[in-house]
Amino acid sequence: MNDVTAVILGAGKGTRMKSDIAKVLHPLMGEPLITYPVAACQKAGVGKAVVVVGHQGGEVKEALEKSAAGIGLKFAIQAEQKGTADAVMSAREVLGSAKGTLLILCGDVPLLRAETLVRLVGEHRANSRLVTVLSMEAGDPTGYGRLVRNRDGGLEKIVEQRDCDELALAIPEVNTGTYAVELPWLWRALDEVDSDNVQGEFYLTDIIALAAQSGGAGSYKLPDDNEAMGINSRLQLGEAARELRLRINRDWIERGVEIEDPFSTWIEPEVVLGEGTVIGPGCRLGGKTVIAEGVRVEQGSVITDSEIESGAHVKPYCVITGATVGTGAAIGPFAHLRPGAKIGPEAKAGNFVEVKNSELGRGAKASHLTYLGDTTVGEGANIGAGTITCNYDGVNKSRTTIGKGAFIGSNSSLVAPVTVGDHAVIGAGSTISKDVEAHALGIERARQRNIKGWTKKEQD
Ligand code: UD1
Ligand code: MG
């Protein structure tokens, strides 16, 4: 495949998406649509890949350069979106005198597999064709170009949905928008394509009829029509996400991950999961999250760009972003770990506990209703219910340090910057703004008075 060049078309606006952002920038499982066909080309091992950008071209380029698929990519600009044939023409200069097989893909067909591209090129070359179109038998052919064949079954032309008569509309075999085509023949063919059709656009599909005239057109039919679904509407984007989710989930299940409900769990493409891990229904795992072996993530948890070590237990409905969770730690239910939260081994951040830019040492516990921000909690410390670290004075953020084995009584406020020493105790309900030394009791609250017969007096 190293001698194959790929062109991916992504200049169109995507009017049918009814959106301000270019279609190919719409996210599919967290990644812009265009990154998928580009990644498939890279995985197939093409020697060179060119993306044609136009509508919001700067943003498309930037999105690709940020993604793993963007490595070594070239770009061409289609100034005015005059159709798919014109889009390919725009890449002519960047391709220069390239010869041999060119793969053409649409930026809005995200589920194509690299292996399919390799097979398409194989089929194309084995038959010495000018062009081979990747086709499929669509369950619902609406919106796709139809493959029109002659009496002997030979491919004659592709007719776009809007240019179809009744007879052509009934054809189930459609164009996936993916082609293997020979250079420099393509440039000669494109020179002949006109815009004499319902949309007044230059259709790339017209090259099929031109190749067919010299017996050089053929097709390679995909067995699975989901693989080449084109995204032209938001509903189709949702359908593709469902398909991709199932594909990813099936993959993880085969590798020994237990996904309790593969139909409701979202695992984005870059997430890594360990064997024996269990993922509950409705979880969403995204970004560069890494979950080790034997972890249990229960229902409804959303984990993004985080690392969960082996044997940890994430109880239902936790939100974990940019955090690390150590071996055997227990999180939630309903915990919120924000960027920079580092939960040590065997530690606990329980219900309604929010942790930001803070470390909990081994075995430390914050079991209920707590905010820990910019805080270091030593090994084995216990943070009582309702503890708040007051890390922000309206201008600056300051740190709180809690020593090993310290015990913070319930409903305490620790006003940062402040340090509570090892094995110190804070009396419940205290507002601590001065450091407390190791092994001391820090207590700050008014003495309780009980006024005898007080309600009786009122009633008299
Ligand atoms: C196209 C095919 C159709 C096929 C379908 C598969 C044509 C004429 N039709 O139709 O036969 O069944 O894909 O999904 O090719 N683009 C540009 N510049 C343009 C126009 C489009 O770069 O001027 C890009 C778009 O960004 C998109 C791709 O080309 O990624 C396809 O364009 P789209 O308008 O979606 O074509 P379809 O109507 O889906
Ligand atoms: Mg399309």
Side-chain angles (χ1 to χ4, degrees):
M1 288 292 282
N2 196 37
D3 56 349
V4 173
T5 302
V7 169
I8 302 105
L9 309 181
K13 181 173 187 297
T15 315
R16 289 164 282 182
M17 296 297 277
K18 299 194 170 61
S19 162
D20 289 341
I21 51 169
K23 171 164 68 182
V24 296
L25 284 177
H26 278 260
L28 172 66
M29 297 292 286
E31 292 289 329
L33 265 185
I34 186 86
T35 57
Y36 288 90
V38 174
C41 289
Q42 311 279 38
K43 194 171 166 206
V46 301
K48 182 175 176 181
V50 179
V51 177
V52 179
V53 299
H55 188 76
Q56 294 179 357
E59 287 93 328
V60 175
K61 201 169 163 218
E62 206 178 301
L64 275 163
E65 281 167 347
K66 261 198 264 167
S67 79
I71 300 164
L73 216 53
K74 296 256 182 309
F75 293 91
I77 296 167
Q78 185 192 22
E80 222 185 304
Q81 282 73 62
K82 293 188 285 191
T84 43
D86 181 68
V88 175
M89 277 289 242
S90 316
R92 189 171 182 167
E93 212 181 295
V94 180
L95 290 174
S97 58
K99 287 197 172 51
T101 307
L102 180 75
L103 265 176
I104 303 176
L105 292 88
C106 288
D108 65 347
V109 179
L111 303 184
L112 268 185
R113 292 184 163 93
E115 304 83 72
T116 301
L117 297 176
V118 175
R119 260 184 247 126
L120 172 64
V121 169
E123 181 84 9
H124 172 74
R125 287 178 166 169
N127 291 286
S128 308
R129 291 185 189 132
L130 294 170
V131 56
T132 305
V133 53
L134 183 69
S135 71
M136 62 180 175
E137 199 100 359
D140 175 8
T142 313
Y144 294 101
R146 309 295 204 276
L147 267 68
V148 177
R149 294 182 178 278
N150 60 27
R151 277 202 204 112
D152 308 323
L155 181 57
E156 211 167 69
K157 59 181 175 181
I158 292 179
V159 185
E160 288 307 297
Q161 160 99 20
R162 287 195 240 192
D163 301 288
C164 278
D165 55 22
E166 295 250 327
L167 215 62
L169 277 179
I171 299 173
E173 192 187 4
V174 301
N175 171 23
T176 66
T178 315
Y179 323 79
V181 46
E182 283 310 294
L183 292 174
W185 172 83
L186 173 69
W187 306 127
R188 291 201 295 277
L190 287 175
D191 282 338
E192 285 184 49
V193 171
D194 61 28
S195 58
D196 185 15
N197 51 57
V198 173
Q199 297 194 83
E201 285 188 1
F202 293 90
Y203 288 164
L204 177 59
T205 44
D206 285 355
I207 65 168
I208 306 299
L210 293 169
Q213 285 165 12
S214 53
S219 64
Y220 169 59
K221 201 177 193 177
L222 259 184
D224 167 17
D225 69 336
N226 285 325
E227 190 185 327
M229 58 194 288
I231 311 302
N232 295 315
S233 68
R234 289 176 188 260
L235 181 64
Q236 286 170 330
L237 184 61
E239 286 166 352
R242 183 183 57 191
E243 186 58 32
L244 182 57
R245 263 186 348 247
L246 276 175
R247 192 191 276 184
I248 293 171
N249 291 351
R250 249 185 246 126
D251 231 46
W252 283 119
I253 289 167
E254 274 166 25
R255 289 199 249 168
V257 174
E258 186 178 334
I259 298 178
E260 291 178 333
D261 178 12
F263 303 98
S264 68
T265 293
W266 289 60
I267 302 170
E268 289 182 5
E270 292 197 36
V271 171
V272 178
L273 303 174
E275 224 179 274
T277 277
V278 182
I279 310 291
C283 287
R284 186 170 180 149
L285 313 178
K288 297 196 173 358
T289 292
V290 178
I291 299 184
E293 304 80 43
V295 171
R296 185 169 165 79
V297 180
E298 290 196 69
Q299 171 142 349
S301 289
V302 179
I303 306 180
T304 314
D305 293 324
S306 296
E307 202 176 315
I308 316 286
E309 289 172 10
S310 59
H313 185 180
V314 178
K315 295 176 188 173
Y317 302 105
C318 291
V319 177
I320 302 179
T321 310
T324 58
V325 174
T327 305
I331 310 299
F334 298 102
H336 188 188
L337 305 184
R338 294 168 50 202
K342 294 192 175 71
I343 311 299
E346 313 298 331
K348 180 175 176 191
N351 19 182
F352 305 104
V353 170
E354 176 181 346
V355 184
K356 185 220 72 172
N357 191 29
S358 297
E359 288 129 51
L360 257 75
R362 174 182 287 274
K365 288 195 173 94
S367 298
H368 332 266
L369 299 159
T370 285
Y371 173 60
L372 296 170
D374 305 301
T375 299
T376 305
V377 179
E379 265 183 50
N382 194 302
I383 312 294
T387 298
I388 306 287
T389 54
C390 312
N391 59 329
Y392 185 50
D393 61 8
V395 184
N396 297 310
K397 297 262 168 76
S398 303
R399 280 202 83 79
T400 300
T401 305
I402 298 169
K404 279 190 282 189
F407 184 94
I408 312 295
S410 294
N411 198 32
S412 295
S413 302
L414 304 174
V415 183
V418 73
T419 297
V420 176
D422 293 351
H423 304 288
V425 172
I426 302 298
S430 299
T431 298
I432 299 296
S433 50
K434 290 188 207 136
D435 290 353
V436 178
E437 62 267 39
H439 297 282
L441 167 68
I443 185 157
E444 188 279 342
R445 62 182 186 225
R447 260 181 207 286
Q448 180 173 338
R449 278 198 302 159
N450 290 355
I451 303 170
K452 279 195 182 141
W454 192 76
T455 55
K456 237 170 148 193
K457 196 167 113 197
E458 277 214 327
Q459 280 155 11
D460 287 342

